[in-house]
Amino acid sequence: MRILHGAAELRAALAGASRTAFVPTMGNLHAGHVSLIELAKRHGGPVVASVFVNPLQFGVGEDFERYPRTLAADCEKLAAAGCDLVFAPDVAEMYPVPQTFAVQVPDSMANDLCGAFRPGHFSGVATVVLKLFNLAQPRVAVFGSKDFQQLMLIRDLVRQFNLPIEILAGATLREADGLALSSRNGYLSAAERLQAPQLHHELAAIVAAIRTGERGFEALAASARRRLNMAGWRVDYVAVRDAGTLAAPAPDSTSLVVLGAAWLGKTRLIDNVETPLGKLP
Ligand code: PAF
């Protein structure tokens, strides 16, 4: 497996490759990322992963500085998973001049769910992903479903900018107690780690109620928010949405997604659970 730090080196290494499968990451990799590499490997071309903690997508006071940088361990995992090439630029390589151009994300996304609590986040994500796509020029790119809103954003980005890239979604992997794998789980204290699966359990309980025919979505979400807050979480949101559009459920919705983001101490966790749906009454 080659490890490259320069954009020009990356372009040279991939010159002539027409079936590149790309997995963008911020590193500190876990089994969820490895499963994305395995998905990328099914596509027959070279598999490229990027490891870059993107300052553009972190707001003031967020965890950009403390985000774990573990490149050596990441490369071991990527090599074992069969990745062919790792692109690990530093900030000056990705942003050699101040990034004064940026992808403008529609308000409906920028001000909704995670966007509402992380101003500028999705513009930062879209901008770096567009740059990475331009460098790697992949045929397919793989993103995790845990970041559901990000996945929708990338799909829209590719569609609206006519990028010839197929976006694949990797399933969320979970610990035995339900906690979604996340690089940020490493921030949790022992006590917080014990409590952390509650977020998933609350979302799963909403899905279970929907599957039994319950249609009071806002009441279900409000109860979950209340229980989480009472247990000591600081809830950003719990919401039930159409899984295809992220809009509020509509009579023609065929599948829903229950999404949540909440803080345990200094750690912000996000999760979601999807469910198919018969026609709403
Ligand atoms: O999901 C992530 O790890 C990041 O948001 C991404 C897509 C690598 C962009 O920095």
Side-chain angles (χ1 to χ4, degrees):
M1 184 182 77
R2 296 179 69 189
I3 303 168
L4 304 177
H5 300 284
E9 288 173 279
L10 178 71
R11 278 191 187 284
L14 293 176
S18 61
R19 296 171 56 81
T20 299
F22 181 46
V23 183
T25 82
M26 295 204 302
N28 196 234
L29 305 183
H30 49 67
H33 296 105
V34 170
S35 73
L36 303 184
I37 299 290
E38 285 160 1
L39 189 52
K41 277 183 72 66
R42 292 192 210 146
H43 287 266
V47 173
V48 177
S50 62
V51 174
F52 178 63
V53 185
N54 171 36
L56 249 52
Q57 69 189 75
F58 289 80
V60 178
E62 291 190 346
D63 56 342
F64 173 69
E65 275 83 17
R66 73 168 176 143
Y67 201 89
R69 272 85 167 166
T70 54
L71 185 60
D74 293 342
C75 287
E76 279 177 26
K77 289 177 190 158
L78 290 168
C83 182
D84 298 295
L85 196 161
V86 180
F87 177 51
D90 63 14
V91 172
E93 186 66 24
M94 275 309 283
Y95 301 113
V97 295
Q99 185 70 33
T100 51
F101 283 80
V103 176
Q104 186 181 344
V105 173
D107 287 351
S108 58
M109 195 160 268
N111 300 331
D112 192 27
L113 300 173
C114 282
F117 295 90
R118 303 189 67 189
H121 170 67
F122 284 126
S123 175
V125 170
T127 302
V128 80
V129 168
L130 184 59
K131 284 170 74 94
L132 290 166
F133 282 173
N134 284 334
L135 291 170
Q137 306 209 341
R139 247 286 283 292
V140 302
V142 189
F143 291 82
S145 298
K146 183 175 72 68
D147 297 285
F148 195 90
Q149 200 181 5
Q150 170 174 281
L151 180 62
M152 303 278 280
L153 168 89
I154 303 298
R155 288 194 197 282
D156 282 355
L157 175 85
V158 162
R159 201 176 301 124
Q160 293 197 20
F161 284 109
N162 302 93
L163 305 179
I165 303 170
E166 185 187 350
I167 302 301
L168 304 177
T172 301
L173 296 197
R174 298 184 181 281
E175 303 284 5
D177 59 8
L179 177 65
L181 297 194
S182 164
S183 301
R184 290 188 167 100
N185 292 349
Y187 296 154
L188 298 168
S189 69
E192 289 166 346
R193 171 63 190 83
L194 282 177
Q195 197 183 343
Q198 190 187 356
L199 178 61
H200 172 62
H201 295 155
E202 291 293 347
L203 305 184
I206 294 177
V207 162
I210 292 171
R211 286 185 181 159
T212 64
E214 177 62 52
R215 294 293 180 263
F217 302 127
E218 183 39 40
L220 287 170
S223 301
R225 287 194 294 268
R226 198 166 42 248
R227 278 191 297 274
L228 286 163
N229 281 323
M230 284 178 57
W233 295 72
R234 184 158 54 83
V235 177
D236 279 355
Y237 63 83
V238 172
V240 181
R241 297 293 180 85
D242 182 299
T245 63
L246 270 190
D252 61 349
S253 295
T254 55
S255 63
L256 298 181
V257 57
V258 183
L259 310 104
W263 292 82
L264 255 188
K266 291 190 164 66
T267 307
R268 184 177 189 271
L269 298 178
I270 64 171
D271 203 348
N272 68 82
V273 183
E274 285 179 78
T275 180
L277 188 70
K279 288 266 179 251
L280 292 178

